[in-house]
Amino acid sequence: MHSHAATAELQQFTTLSRILHWLTAILVFSTLLIGFTMVSSVSDYATLLKIHKTLGVVILAVVIIRVVNRLTHRPPQPPPTVGRFERILIVTSEMALYALLLAQPLVGWAMVSATGRPVVVFGSLRIPRIAPANLDLYWVLRETHSVLAFLLVAVVAAHVSAVLLHSITLRDGMLARMTFRLPRTRSRHANQAGVGEPAAPAASVE
Amino acid sequence: MQNRLTRAFGTGVPLDRRRILLGLAAVGGFLAVDLGAVLYAGGWVAGERLTRQDFIDAFKRVNGSHPGFRRNHAKGVAVAGYFDSNGAGQEFSKAAVLRPGQTPVVGRFSLAGGNPNVADMIDTPRGLALAFGYPGGQQWRTAMLNLPVFLDSSPQGFYDRLVASKISPATGKPDPEATARFLAAHPETARAMTVIKAHPPTSGFGDSTFRSLNAFYFVNESGGRAAVRWSLAPIGQALQPLPRSSGPNALFDDLIRQIGSRPLQWKLLVTLAAPTDPVNDATVAWPAERRVIETGTVTLTSVETEHAGNARDINFDPMVLPDGIEPSDDPLLSARSAVYAASFRLRAGEPKSASAVNVGAVAL
């Protein structure tokens, strides 16, 4: 029953994929947190908004690179602990994340465009508007931006939770596929439940 | 049953209780921090800080609900015209609008207060909002008042004053005890009121001087920064015999008749701060002897009832600035940007009603 797991070599994502993944993670966490803070804020609003818009275009650029990377490089197969049903969940949530990460900055860009004001990022770089100035259009985009933000929080939370459960409870090295330490193959723990020990420090509890 | 589950979820691993608990603890810990951060950041829990929503709620408590209208300066009329720059401002700011030439201008005259049907009164602060170069990439938006100084130096001050201004249904006036408590807590407003009393308002919009009140920085080509406040000083209007309308729209009717008969003009004046002048306190006037640059003339040629697509739908956020103009660290500026954005978002989604100021109904 556990012989596949015992002999499987841990397959990692390519170095570029891993870098892009963590870069996205840092950017998205920051942008979401700044976004939630700024819309309740008064004295910090203006500064946070400038940072938020700049991070947004950076995320858009990074995600476009990621889409190209994803379409040109097949990711490693999931560990054997992932069954049929979960495989479907994984593919769905991956597509949902890509969709959300592309849509959200574009909606933000269009939303600012629809107010008729210039779109300014990186302090003073003015980028073209991508939507006509229209109050009703602005409102739809503004509400959508909020909805997508909440969806992103939910999908990212589900993603992290799933990786944590796999890596810690199932000890299948799920997290290690994306980290920057070489996976240790089965060594001292060969006589225990036969899964290659994940490299992530959080899982090293023995 | 165990086999079907394990095939579907593929655990080829014996699960022991310890690892299940550890995994759940990690997830629980992550979610607590993640969602806790979101709730705290959004102001939904455990915050004593003044939030944007507090202002929106206070406007509603004080003014009632007027869907589709601005939460403050609700009553207004749209105008349009142009700015002729004489180039004198170039020494201090690299903003393209200050080079010699003409830039179109769209704007809005308004009265302070959140009731779009309020009767025009001489003492109500008057607003003039302008967007130079709308809808271009180097727009300059400014929202000015006909006061010599502003009443508050901080967002908290504005909030407290708004709350204290609530009309008591019994007396038709604000609660005098609330007013006294507010002034005791905000001596800067009491000082500002003294200055305001010494500069009584003119008889109407057309001959009012409008001021930025907040300070900004002009940045020139060499990177030099000058702290400035700007104002619009009326040209020639005061010399004309002014029409005198009556009724709840008297001031707006006068304005509409004036622009209907000829364009109205203002000089755009820029006052340079001395190094000792406060740049982040709108309640303190700068001494009259400060150097003033006359940078050009604003001419307003047309007036329109607010409707979809004109100034009704523009958010005159004072933080929308061209290259060459930057905000000061006056806390009111960011607060204005934040609260205007909240008002804009709300009214954008609300059903619209006709403005109380109907240009077509005013006989010229």
Side-chain angles (χ1 to χ4, degrees):
Chain A
M1 195 171 67
H2 33 266
S3 56
H4 327 270
T7 52
E9 276 286 325
L10 182 69
Q11 281 187 294
Q12 281 196 308
F13 286 86
T14 66
T15 306
L16 177 63
S17 296
R18 281 178 278 155
I19 291 173
L20 288 171
H21 168 269
W22 292 109
L23 182 59
T24 308
I26 293 168
L27 289 170
V28 171
F29 268 114
S30 310
T31 310
L32 278 171
L33 213 54
I34 288 174
F36 281 109
T37 305
M38 80 191 187
V39 299
S40 62
S41 210
V42 168
S43 297
D44 298 320
Y45 172 74
T47 307
L48 290 175
L49 177 62
K50 286 193 183 118
I51 298 172
H52 183 87
K53 289 195 253 195
T54 296
L55 287 176
V57 302
V58 172
I59 289 174
L60 182 60
V62 170
V63 173
I64 289 173
I65 295 170
R66 283 191 71 176
V67 169
V68 172
N69 179 57
R70 175 66 178 81
L71 294 174
T72 52
H73 295 82
R74 159 158 296 164
Q77 287 299 304
T81 45
V82 172
R84 255 187 354 244
F85 180 63
E86 193 176 359
R87 201 175 279 259
I88 296 173
L89 279 180
I90 286 180
V91 170
T92 309
S93 76
E94 188 190 12
M95 288 200 301
L97 266 175
Y98 273 107
L100 284 170
L101 290 173
L102 274 177
Q104 182 70 320
L106 287 170
V107 168
W109 188 350
M111 167 188 123
V112 176
S113 305
T115 65
R117 68 167 64 186
V119 187
V120 189
V121 291
F122 292 105
S124 55
L125 177 66
R126 280 150 216 266
I127 56 180
R129 287 197 289 257
I130 60 170
N134 180 288
L135 193 68
D136 298 321
L137 177 61
Y138 159 76
W139 184 75
V140 168
L141 291 165
R142 178 66 188 85
E143 300 307 305
T144 304
H145 202 64
S146 270
V147 168
L148 294 185
F150 284 112
L151 280 177
L152 265 168
V153 170
V155 177
V156 167
H159 168 70
V160 173
S161 303
V163 171
L164 285 176
L165 280 174
H166 267 273
S167 301
I168 294 174
T169 299
L170 300 180
R171 305 193 94 203
D172 59 4
M174 188 68 95
L175 179 58
R177 305 186 324 144
M178 201 50 103
T179 58
F180 287 96
R181 289 172 54 173
L182 289 171
R184 268 173 283 159
T185 48
R186 301 177 51 240
S187 51
R188 299 168 286 153
H189 302 272
N191 55 338
Q192 292 185 6
V195 183
E197 184 183 279
S204 307
V205 291
E206 295 304 327
Chain B
M1 165 49 186
Q2 175 69 10
N3 277 340
R4 249 190 291 130
L5 261 181
T6 53
R7 264 204 307 279
F9 282 96
T11 69
V13 187
L15 297 173
D16 68 59
R17 225 178 56 164
R18 187 157 161 268
R19 285 206 212 102
I20 292 174
L21 287 174
L22 220 51
L24 291 176
V27 170
F30 168 76
L31 288 178
V33 171
D34 188 28
L35 302 178
V38 168
L39 288 172
Y40 180 74
W44 290 293
V45 295
E48 286 214 7
R49 59 185 219 266
L50 192 59
T51 66
R52 193 158 102 164
Q53 190 59 35
D54 291 331
F55 284 84
I56 297 296
D57 293 341
F59 277 122
K60 189 166 173 188
R61 279 200 311 274
V62 170
N63 299 313
S65 207
H66 303 279
F69 291 98
R70 289 163 162 80
R71 271 39 183 178
N72 196 7
H73 290 263
K75 184 177 187 185
V77 75
V79 289
Y82 47 86
F83 170 61
D84 288 304
S85 171
N86 59 23
Q90 284 179 109
E91 182 188 343
F92 299 95
S93 167
K94 61 186 175 183
V97 64
L98 292 172
R99 294 182 208 140
Q102 192 176 91
T103 305
V105 152
V106 302
R108 181 175 181 270
F109 283 99
S110 63
L111 289 176
N115 179 358
N117 302 304
V118 73
D120 296 357
M121 313 250 264
I122 290 285
D123 285 336
T124 310
R126 299 165 206 157
L128 173 54
L130 293 176
F132 296 79
Y134 180 86
Q138 293 284 344
Q139 267 175 72
W140 177 11
R141 296 188 186 180
T142 178
M144 296 171 277
L145 286 176
N146 72 330
L147 301 174
V149 290
F150 194 56
L151 286 152
D152 314 295
S153 61
S154 66
Q156 186 70 53
F158 182 96
Y159 176 81
D160 291 342
R161 183 166 61 89
L162 173 62
V163 169
S165 75
K166 180 164 167 51
I167 301 289
S168 160
T171 61
K173 289 194 198 343
D175 172 15
E177 272 182 32
T179 306
R181 271 198 309 271
F182 162 75
L183 286 171
H186 293 278
E188 73 277 6
T189 302
R191 286 194 294 270
M193 284 166 118
T194 313
V195 177
I196 290 169
K197 274 199 186 53
H199 294 79
T202 64
S203 54
F205 284 106
D207 60 354
S208 293
T209 296
F210 296 94
R211 295 178 208 276
S212 68
L213 300 177
N214 305 116
F216 293 78
Y217 287 102
F218 270 15
V219 183
N220 63 17
E221 292 287 352
S222 351
R225 291 161 70 81
V228 302
R229 287 175 176 166
W230 54 76
S231 59
L232 288 173
I235 305 173
Q237 273 89 282
L239 305 174
Q240 302 282 328
L242 294 171
R244 286 282 182 272
S245 315
S246 61
N249 291 349
L251 293 176
F252 281 103
D253 289 349
D254 284 351
L255 170 71
I256 291 163
R257 291 204 181 89
Q258 281 184 302
I259 294 190
S261 68
R262 64 160 177 76
L264 294 177
Q265 294 191 308
W266 282 263
K267 288 190 223 189
L268 178 59
L269 302 174
V270 174
T271 306
L272 301 170
T276 50
D277 291 333
V279 159
N280 56 7
D281 186 346
T283 60
V284 177
W286 293 346
E289 55 267 23
R290 291 294 171 259
R291 184 172 166 204
V292 177
I293 319 279
E294 187 185 319
T295 65
T297 303
V298 169
T299 306
L300 297 179
T301 55
S302 64
V303 63
E304 261 194 345
T305 308
E306 294 180 289
H307 63 71
N310 71 8
R312 186 199 78 173
D313 293 349
I314 298 179
N315 173 16
F316 293 94
D317 179 341
M319 298 290 271
V320 176
L321 299 166
D323 293 336
I325 305 182
E326 291 173 10
S328 67
D329 60 356
D330 184 337
L332 289 176
L333 279 174
S334 175
R336 289 173 71 188
S337 189
V339 181
Y340 291 19
S343 169
F344 187 64
R345 176 190 182 175
L346 288 168
R347 66 188 175 94
E350 292 165 350
K352 308 292 181 294
S353 327
S355 169
V357 181
N358 182 349
V359 172
V362 179
L364 290 177

